[in-house]
Short mmCIF file of all heavy atoms in Angstrom, two decimals:
data_model
loop_
_atom_site.label_atom_id
_atom_site.label_comp_id
_atom_site.label_asym_id
_atom_site.label_seq_id
_atom_site.Cartn_x
_atom_site.Cartn_y
_atom_site.Cartn_z
N LYS A 419 49.21 4.08 32.99
CA LYS A 419 49.28 2.64 32.72
C LYS A 419 48.49 1.83 33.74
O LYS A 419 48.35 0.63 33.60
CB LYS A 419 50.74 2.17 32.70
CG LYS A 419 51.53 2.73 31.53
CD LYS A 419 52.95 2.18 31.53
CE LYS A 419 53.76 2.73 30.35
NZ LYS A 419 55.15 2.24 30.37
N PHE A 420 48.01 2.50 34.78
CA PHE A 420 47.24 1.78 35.80
C PHE A 420 45.86 1.44 35.25
O PHE A 420 45.18 2.28 34.68
CB PHE A 420 47.09 2.63 37.06
CG PHE A 420 46.33 1.94 38.15
CD1 PHE A 420 46.96 1.03 38.98
CD2 PHE A 420 44.98 2.18 38.34
CE1 PHE A 420 46.26 0.40 39.98
CE2 PHE A 420 44.27 1.54 39.33
CZ PHE A 420 44.91 0.64 40.15
N LYS A 421 45.44 0.19 35.40
CA LYS A 421 44.12 -0.21 34.95
C LYS A 421 43.30 -0.64 36.16
O LYS A 421 43.79 -1.34 37.03
CB LYS A 421 44.22 -1.38 33.96
CG LYS A 421 44.96 -1.03 32.70
CD LYS A 421 45.02 -2.21 31.77
CE LYS A 421 43.83 -2.22 30.85
NZ LYS A 421 43.95 -3.24 29.81
N ASP A 422 42.08 -0.17 36.19
CA ASP A 422 41.19 -0.51 37.29
C ASP A 422 40.74 -1.95 37.10
O ASP A 422 39.84 -2.24 36.31
CB ASP A 422 39.98 0.43 37.31
CG ASP A 422 39.21 0.32 38.61
OD1 ASP A 422 39.67 -0.41 39.50
OD2 ASP A 422 38.14 0.96 38.72
N PHE A 423 41.40 -2.86 37.79
CA PHE A 423 41.14 -4.30 37.65
C PHE A 423 39.86 -4.61 38.41
O PHE A 423 39.87 -4.79 39.62
CB PHE A 423 42.33 -5.07 38.22
CG PHE A 423 42.36 -6.54 37.90
CD1 PHE A 423 42.12 -7.00 36.62
CD2 PHE A 423 42.65 -7.46 38.89
CE1 PHE A 423 42.17 -8.35 36.33
CE2 PHE A 423 42.70 -8.81 38.61
CZ PHE A 423 42.46 -9.26 37.33
N LYS A 424 38.75 -4.65 37.69
CA LYS A 424 37.45 -4.73 38.35
C LYS A 424 37.30 -6.04 39.13
O LYS A 424 37.91 -7.06 38.80
CB LYS A 424 36.31 -4.59 37.35
CG LYS A 424 36.11 -5.79 36.44
CD LYS A 424 34.88 -5.59 35.57
CE LYS A 424 34.63 -6.85 34.72
NZ LYS A 424 33.41 -6.70 33.90
N ILE A 456 38.10 -6.92 46.05
CA ILE A 456 38.94 -5.76 45.78
C ILE A 456 39.24 -5.03 47.09
O ILE A 456 38.43 -5.01 48.02
CB ILE A 456 38.25 -4.82 44.78
CG1 ILE A 456 39.25 -3.86 44.16
CG2 ILE A 456 37.08 -4.08 45.40
CD1 ILE A 456 38.73 -3.16 42.92
N SER A 457 40.43 -4.46 47.17
CA SER A 457 40.87 -3.77 48.38
C SER A 457 41.42 -2.40 48.03
O SER A 457 42.05 -2.21 46.97
CB SER A 457 41.97 -4.60 49.08
OG SER A 457 42.63 -3.83 50.06
N GLU A 460 45.08 -1.87 46.95
CA GLU A 460 45.57 -2.05 45.59
C GLU A 460 45.92 -0.73 44.92
O GLU A 460 46.64 -0.69 43.93
CB GLU A 460 44.53 -2.79 44.74
CG GLU A 460 44.29 -4.21 45.20
CD GLU A 460 43.23 -4.90 44.36
OE1 GLU A 460 43.12 -4.60 43.16
OE2 GLU A 460 42.49 -5.74 44.90
N TYR A 461 45.37 0.37 45.44
CA TYR A 461 45.58 1.68 44.82
C TYR A 461 46.79 2.40 45.41
O TYR A 461 47.07 3.54 45.03
CB TYR A 461 44.31 2.52 44.96
CG TYR A 461 43.14 1.92 44.23
CD1 TYR A 461 42.27 1.04 44.87
CD2 TYR A 461 42.92 2.22 42.89
CE1 TYR A 461 41.20 0.47 44.19
CE2 TYR A 461 41.86 1.66 42.20
CZ TYR A 461 41.00 0.78 42.85
OH TYR A 461 39.95 0.22 42.17
N ILE A 463 50.48 2.47 45.27
CA ILE A 463 51.57 1.96 44.43
C ILE A 463 52.89 2.50 44.96
O ILE A 463 53.09 3.71 45.06
CB ILE A 463 51.39 2.39 42.97
CG1 ILE A 463 49.97 2.09 42.49
CG2 ILE A 463 52.42 1.71 42.08
CD1 ILE A 463 49.59 0.64 42.51
N LEU A 469 53.82 -1.61 37.15
CA LEU A 469 52.41 -1.97 37.10
C LEU A 469 52.19 -3.23 36.27
O LEU A 469 51.12 -3.82 36.30
CB LEU A 469 51.59 -0.82 36.52
CG LEU A 469 51.51 0.40 37.44
CD1 LEU A 469 50.86 1.56 36.72
CD2 LEU A 469 50.75 0.08 38.70
N ARG A 470 53.21 -3.64 35.54
CA ARG A 470 53.17 -4.93 34.85
C ARG A 470 54.32 -5.78 35.37
O ARG A 470 55.36 -5.26 35.78
CB ARG A 470 53.33 -4.74 33.34
CG ARG A 470 52.18 -4.01 32.68
CD ARG A 470 52.35 -4.06 31.19
NE ARG A 470 51.26 -3.40 30.50
CZ ARG A 470 50.96 -3.60 29.22
NH1 ARG A 470 51.68 -4.44 28.52
NH2 ARG A 470 49.97 -2.96 28.66
N HIS A 471 54.14 -7.08 35.30
CA HIS A 471 55.20 -7.96 35.75
C HIS A 471 56.34 -7.98 34.73
O HIS A 471 57.50 -7.89 35.07
CB HIS A 471 54.65 -9.36 35.97
CG HIS A 471 55.65 -10.32 36.52
ND1 HIS A 471 56.53 -9.96 37.51
CD2 HIS A 471 55.93 -11.59 36.21
CE1 HIS A 471 57.29 -11.00 37.79
NE2 HIS A 471 56.96 -11.99 37.01
N TYR A 502 42.70 -13.67 27.04
CA TYR A 502 43.05 -13.01 28.30
C TYR A 502 41.75 -12.77 29.06
O TYR A 502 41.29 -11.64 29.16
CB TYR A 502 43.71 -11.66 28.02
CG TYR A 502 45.21 -11.62 28.14
CD1 TYR A 502 45.96 -12.79 28.22
CD2 TYR A 502 45.90 -10.41 28.17
CE1 TYR A 502 47.34 -12.74 28.31
CE2 TYR A 502 47.28 -10.35 28.26
CZ TYR A 502 47.99 -11.52 28.32
OH TYR A 502 49.35 -11.47 28.40
N CYS A 508 41.50 -13.11 40.18
CA CYS A 508 42.41 -13.24 41.32
C CYS A 508 43.12 -11.89 41.44
O CYS A 508 43.71 -11.40 40.48
CB CYS A 508 43.42 -14.36 41.08
SG CYS A 508 42.68 -15.95 40.64
N ARG A 509 43.07 -11.30 42.62
CA ARG A 509 43.59 -9.94 42.77
C ARG A 509 45.09 -9.87 42.49
O ARG A 509 45.62 -8.82 42.14
CB ARG A 509 43.31 -9.40 44.19
CG ARG A 509 41.87 -9.38 44.61
CD ARG A 509 40.92 -8.87 43.56
NE ARG A 509 41.24 -7.54 43.08
CZ ARG A 509 40.67 -6.98 42.02
NH1 ARG A 509 39.78 -7.65 41.31
NH2 ARG A 509 41.00 -5.76 41.66
N TYR A 510 45.81 -10.98 42.65
CA TYR A 510 47.26 -11.00 42.49
C TYR A 510 47.68 -11.41 41.08
O TYR A 510 48.87 -11.70 40.84
CB TYR A 510 47.88 -11.98 43.50
CG TYR A 510 47.22 -13.34 43.46
CD1 TYR A 510 47.66 -14.33 42.60
CD2 TYR A 510 46.12 -13.61 44.26
CE1 TYR A 510 47.03 -15.55 42.53
CE2 TYR A 510 45.49 -14.83 44.21
CZ TYR A 510 45.94 -15.80 43.35
OH TYR A 510 45.30 -17.01 43.28
N CYS A 511 46.73 -11.44 40.15
CA CYS A 511 47.03 -11.93 38.80
C CYS A 511 48.13 -11.11 38.15
O CYS A 511 48.09 -9.88 38.15
CB CYS A 511 45.77 -11.88 37.95
SG CYS A 511 46.03 -12.46 36.27
N LEU A 512 49.11 -11.77 37.55
CA LEU A 512 50.24 -11.05 36.95
C LEU A 512 49.85 -10.42 35.62
O LEU A 512 50.61 -9.63 35.06
CB LEU A 512 51.46 -11.96 36.81
CG LEU A 512 51.37 -13.21 35.92
CD1 LEU A 512 51.65 -12.87 34.49
CD2 LEU A 512 52.37 -14.24 36.41
N ARG A 513 48.65 -10.70 35.11
CA ARG A 513 48.23 -10.11 33.84
C ARG A 513 47.15 -9.05 34.03
O ARG A 513 46.45 -8.69 33.09
CB ARG A 513 47.72 -11.21 32.90
CG ARG A 513 48.71 -12.34 32.72
CD ARG A 513 48.58 -13.01 31.38
NE ARG A 513 49.36 -14.24 31.30
CZ ARG A 513 50.65 -14.29 31.11
NH1 ARG A 513 51.35 -13.18 31.01
NH2 ARG A 513 51.29 -15.45 31.06
N ARG A 514 47.02 -8.52 35.23
CA ARG A 514 45.94 -7.59 35.54
C ARG A 514 46.01 -6.29 34.76
O ARG A 514 45.01 -5.60 34.60
CB ARG A 514 45.92 -7.28 37.04
CG ARG A 514 47.22 -6.73 37.57
CD ARG A 514 47.20 -6.60 39.09
NE ARG A 514 46.36 -5.52 39.53
CZ ARG A 514 45.58 -5.55 40.59
NH1 ARG A 514 45.53 -6.65 41.32
NH2 ARG A 514 44.85 -4.53 40.93
N ASN A 515 47.19 -5.91 34.27
CA ASN A 515 47.33 -4.63 33.56
C ASN A 515 47.64 -4.80 32.07
O ASN A 515 48.18 -3.89 31.45
CB ASN A 515 48.42 -3.79 34.23
CG ASN A 515 47.94 -3.19 35.53
OD1 ASN A 515 46.94 -2.50 35.57
ND2 ASN A 515 48.63 -3.49 36.61
N TYR A 516 47.30 -5.97 31.53
CA TYR A 516 47.55 -6.20 30.12
C TYR A 516 46.28 -6.00 29.31
O TYR A 516 45.17 -6.17 29.81
CB TYR A 516 48.10 -7.61 29.88
CG TYR A 516 49.50 -7.79 30.41
CD1 TYR A 516 49.72 -8.21 31.72
CD2 TYR A 516 50.60 -7.51 29.62
CE1 TYR A 516 51.00 -8.35 32.23
CE2 TYR A 516 51.89 -7.65 30.11
CZ TYR A 516 52.08 -8.07 31.42
OH TYR A 516 53.35 -8.21 31.90
N GLU A 517 46.43 -5.66 28.03
CA GLU A 517 45.28 -5.49 27.16
C GLU A 517 44.63 -6.86 26.90
O GLU A 517 45.31 -7.83 26.60
CB GLU A 517 45.71 -4.89 25.81
CG GLU A 517 46.26 -3.49 25.92
CD GLU A 517 45.20 -2.48 26.30
OE1 GLU A 517 44.01 -2.83 26.23
OE2 GLU A 517 45.57 -1.35 26.66
N ILE A 676 54.04 -6.73 41.53
CA ILE A 676 53.27 -5.80 40.71
C ILE A 676 52.73 -4.71 41.61
O ILE A 676 52.27 -4.97 42.72
CB ILE A 676 52.10 -6.52 40.01
CG1 ILE A 676 52.62 -7.57 39.02
CG2 ILE A 676 51.21 -5.53 39.27
CD1 ILE A 676 51.53 -8.37 38.36
N GLY A 677 52.76 -3.47 41.12
CA GLY A 677 52.26 -2.35 41.91
C GLY A 677 50.83 -2.58 42.39
O GLY A 677 49.95 -2.93 41.62
N GLY A 678 50.62 -2.41 43.70
CA GLY A 678 49.29 -2.60 44.28
C GLY A 678 49.09 -3.94 44.94
O GLY A 678 48.04 -4.20 45.52
N LEU A 679 50.10 -4.83 44.87
CA LEU A 679 49.95 -6.17 45.45
C LEU A 679 50.77 -6.35 46.72
O LEU A 679 50.84 -7.46 47.25
CB LEU A 679 50.36 -7.25 44.43
CG LEU A 679 49.53 -7.33 43.15
CD1 LEU A 679 49.92 -8.56 42.36
CD2 LEU A 679 48.04 -7.33 43.44
N HIS A 681 50.31 -5.74 49.75
CA HIS A 681 49.59 -6.25 50.92
C HIS A 681 49.37 -7.75 50.87
O HIS A 681 49.00 -8.37 51.86
CB HIS A 681 48.24 -5.54 51.06
CG HIS A 681 47.29 -5.80 49.92
ND1 HIS A 681 47.51 -5.29 48.65
CD2 HIS A 681 46.15 -6.51 49.86
CE1 HIS A 681 46.53 -5.69 47.86
NE2 HIS A 681 45.69 -6.42 48.56
N LEU A 682 49.63 -8.37 49.71
CA LEU A 682 49.48 -9.82 49.57
C LEU A 682 50.83 -10.55 49.49
O LEU A 682 50.85 -11.78 49.43
CB LEU A 682 48.68 -10.14 48.29
CG LEU A 682 47.19 -9.78 48.31
CD1 LEU A 682 46.58 -10.00 46.93
CD2 LEU A 682 46.45 -10.60 49.35
#
Side-chain angles (χ1 to χ4, degrees):
K419 293 183 180 178
F420 181 82
K421 297 180 90 171
D422 193 5
F423 192 47
K424 72 175 184 178
I456 198 165
S457 166
E460 294 179 32
Y461 296 91
I463 311 298
L469 291 171
R470 294 188 179 199
H471 184 42
Y502 258 13
C508 307
R509 303 316 303 169
Y510 51 88
C511 180
L512 62 85
R513 307 209 190 281
R514 56 187 287 141
N515 285 304
Y516 291 89
E517 296 291 347
I676 295 177
L679 298 189
H681 64 290
L682 290 173

